[in-house]
Amino acid sequence: MITRTETDLGMPDPRHGIPPAYGGVEPTAEWAAEIKRLAKARNAAILAHNYQLPEIQDIADHVGDSLALSRIAAETDADEIIFCGVHFMAETAKILSPTKRVLIPDERAGCSLADSITADDLRAWKAEFPDAVVVSYVNTTAEVKGLTDICCTSSNAVDVVASIDPDKDVLFLPDQFLGAHVKRETGRDNIHIWAGECHVHAGINGDELTEQTESHPGADLFIHPECGCATSALYLSGEGIVPQDRVKILSTGGMIDAARATSAKQVLVATEVGMLHQLRRAAPEIDFQPVNDRAACPYMKMITPAALLRCLTEGKDEVDVAPDVAARARLSVERMIAIGNPGSGE
């Protein structure tokens, strides 16, 4: 029998103040069998985000972007949703599945991007622009979604903003790099962008991208719009340093589609390194290389084999959202879906 205790904790990450993760369990065949047995006994569906550890992705019933997974959660007949991701993602699943029990293997798994704006921050910003339309990226807390007019994903953010009356001010939050991408694509001058960022994506910079493109001639570039190097990628394309058709600004879900469609033999990937596992599974004949091999989210990696075992054994940690907040947040997601491009997620 596989066992663990509350003291089986990994080492903390002193760089970001990340609390220690649950440890002491290896992802063996015995572990995998026990996870499957427990999930079946609980009638639980295991969902894993693309940035999770490979062993967590491999044991999950579904792997993908957070919004796509939340929509799967709403459609499944499982009694419980085990969301292997960060906290705001489990909240979104609860918003779309209010009658289901939603668990996250470690409720301390936060998100630097979601934490970059609070509900109070947004209330104060709205007070400055009382007639503006608030567009929130799905990488936000339930409370922020509840104060939002319409949500967006990285794959549909341009369409969402383009659907808004051009005479209306837009408050776009929280990611400044995605906001800059939307501003470029729409040409709007009346879009105000919150200065938030994912510390992992922001750390993938233009100098690294330039160096990697020089050392990997002929490679396609898959760039997440949250990355600090997105502008540099467009510059390289505009200057003819990298052919325009090789530079693709994509959501993580879009990267999977592009991987299956590309004729390139090598692809440089600018996003969290966990994405490489799904890309290599989708197109094993392609050589996928990270632009920055240190771009690993310590919060995502808190969902360890031990944490998942604890979740299924002890029924921890449950995620709840106040009904009034959930109702308002659900409306902002439904408005996004109503424009015709629901997006796959972040």
Side-chain angles (χ1 to χ4, degrees):
M1 175 62 66
I2 301 171
T3 60
R4 60 154 308 282
T5 69
E6 292 293 338
T7 57
D8 280 335
L9 299 175
M11 295 298 292
D13 185 331
R15 295 168 301 168
H16 305 294
I18 308 300
Y22 295 106
V25 172
E26 294 299 320
T28 61
E30 182 190 10
W31 168 82
E34 181 69 355
I35 293 297
K36 290 294 188 184
R37 185 191 71 79
L38 289 167
K40 183 177 181 180
R42 300 182 74 97
N43 190 25
I46 301 174
L47 312 182
H49 188 267
N50 289 315
Y51 296 163
Q52 289 290 290
L53 294 166
E55 52 266 31
I56 300 297
Q57 294 187 40
D58 289 344
I59 199 69
D61 298 305
H62 303 280
V63 180
D65 290 328
S66 65
L67 183 60
L69 291 173
S70 293
R71 295 177 75 186
I72 288 170
E75 294 169 2
T76 182
D77 58 1
D79 295 321
E80 292 185 346
I81 304 301
I82 313 299
F83 207 117
C84 299
V86 294
H87 198 270
F88 81 80
M89 299 178 179
E91 281 188 334
T92 305
K94 184 65 177 179
I95 288 166
L96 297 184
S97 303
T99 63
K100 293 186 174 76
R101 189 165 185 243
V102 176
L103 303 171
I104 183 171
D106 192 334
E107 66 183 357
R108 303 168 302 163
C111 171
S112 60
L113 178 57
D115 288 347
S116 70
I117 186 167
T118 66
D120 286 343
D121 290 333
L122 181 51
R123 288 188 189 97
W125 201 24
K126 289 175 70 171
E128 293 180 46
F129 300 91
D131 298 322
V133 177
V134 177
V135 178
S136 290
Y137 189 24
V138 291
N139 294 35
T140 47
T141 65
E143 285 193 337
V144 167
K145 288 185 180 73
L147 295 170
T148 293
D149 293 304
I150 183 168
C151 280
C152 73
T153 70
S154 61
S155 61
N156 70 14
V158 172
D159 290 342
V160 166
V161 172
S163 74
I164 297 167
D165 183 339
D167 293 328
K168 284 275 192 181
D169 280 340
V170 172
L171 303 184
F172 188 94
L173 62 103
D175 189 80
Q176 60 182 309
F177 299 112
L178 180 58
H181 171 67
V182 171
K183 185 171 185 176
R184 278 193 303 267
E185 293 294 311
T186 61
R188 290 182 81 117
D189 293 325
N190 58 351
I191 180 169
H192 309 275
I193 301 168
W194 189 259
E197 63 182 31
C198 159
H199 74 274
V200 176
H201 282 104
I204 306 174
N205 62 53
D207 289 343
E208 288 174 326
L209 180 65
T210 300
E211 181 181 336
Q212 290 281 15
T213 55
E214 289 174 350
S215 60
H216 297 85
D220 274 5
L221 307 183
F222 287 5
I223 313 291
H224 195 285
E226 280 183 46
C227 287
C229 67
T231 300
S232 296
L234 295 175
Y235 171 80
L236 293 172
S237 173
E239 293 295 305
I241 298 169
V242 178
Q244 206 164 40
D245 62 353
R246 282 172 41 207
V247 177
K248 299 173 175 64
I249 309 294
L250 300 163
S251 66
T252 52
M255 287 183 183
I256 295 291
D257 294 336
R260 292 177 175 139
T262 187
S263 59
K265 294 181 179 179
Q266 190 173 60
V267 175
L268 296 175
V269 182
T271 191
E272 209 273 355
V273 294
M275 189 67 211
L276 294 168
H277 186 62
Q278 285 302 310
L279 289 171
R280 288 165 178 162
R281 291 183 66 176
E285 71 283 2
I286 296 173
D287 177 23
F288 292 98
Q289 293 295 326
V291 170
N292 181 336
D293 61 8
R294 304 174 306 285
C297 175
Y299 290 111
M300 284 286 184
K301 275 47 177 180
M302 289 181 70
I303 310 303
T304 60
L308 181 55
L309 182 64
R310 165 185 177 268
C311 178
L312 288 165
T313 303
E314 303 176 20
K316 295 181 178 179
D317 292 318
E318 185 167 2
V319 175
D320 208 358
V321 178
D324 61 323
V325 173
R328 287 184 277 113
R330 194 176 307 116
L331 187 58
S332 68
V333 174
E334 289 171 350
R335 288 190 184 118
M336 174 189 71
I337 294 171
I339 71 165
N341 175 5
S344 58
E346 70 292 335

